[in-house]
Amino acid sequence: MYDEHYTRLNQYRSLWILVFFDLPTETRKERKVASAFRKKLLDDGFSMFQFSIYMRFCASRENAEVHAKRIKNSLPEHGKIGVMQITDKQFGMMELFYGKKPVETEKPSQQLELF
């Protein structure tokens, strides 16, 4: 009973950060800037959901704020970028499809949080 209770609470405490972006890629310099931004997301533990949507699981709100701050520090000069935080419970309610075939949503990996 206690395990189920804490698991349910953790679904509201743990978060997913979703980064949506539309960056200009017409010149070589713009493509380089866009590529560097995507690489920074990958280096920070984000995974690609779609070509311009990246996501990352965070065990706590404090951890999510750290990663959101890193994104804000690496924003390119031009383009449109959105950063959204949703709870693990909300993420779990998302329906995914490949064509008409339903697909399970990604489960967060088990991470040891020291602080």
Side-chain angles (χ1 to χ4, degrees):
M1 167 139 172
Y2 288 113
D3 287 339
E4 181 182 324
H5 175 72
Y6 288 117
T7 300
R8 213 173 73 219
L9 284 177
N10 284 339
Q11 291 177 335
Y12 294 99
R13 291 183 179 159
S14 53
L15 299 169
W16 286 84
I17 298 178
L18 299 164
V19 180
F20 312 91
F21 56 88
D22 186 14
L23 300 175
T25 57
E26 292 188 18
T27 66
R28 185 176 182 168
K29 183 180 177 187
E30 289 173 340
R31 286 190 294 274
K32 189 173 180 177
V33 169
S35 178
F37 181 70
R38 285 192 300 272
K39 186 172 179 340
K40 284 180 185 174
L41 290 174
L42 292 172
D43 289 346
D44 196 25
F46 283 81
S47 59
M48 188 171 76
F49 183 72
Q50 292 184 353
F51 287 121
S52 60
I53 302 173
Y54 284 66
M55 62 184 191
R56 187 187 198 291
F57 176 77
C58 298
S60 66
R61 181 167 302 281
E62 293 79 17
N63 184 243
E65 291 301 323
V66 167
H67 293 287
K69 188 175 180 180
R70 285 183 190 158
I71 294 167
K72 292 173 188 171
N73 287 336
S74 63
L75 292 175
E77 188 173 339
H78 302 287
K80 186 174 184 179
I81 298 167
V83 179
M84 182 169 75
Q85 297 179 17
I86 60 173
T87 65
D88 189 39
K89 178 71 175 176
Q90 292 168 322
F91 186 81
M93 292 188 306
M94 180 169 45
E95 292 182 278
L96 295 175
F97 299 93
Y98 283 125
K100 291 187 175 189
K101 186 177 178 184
V103 179
E104 290 257 344
T105 57
E106 184 176 325
K107 302 285 183 208
S109 60
Q110 292 291 333
Q111 291 184 324
L112 180 62
E113 187 176 348
L114 298 176
F115 301 99

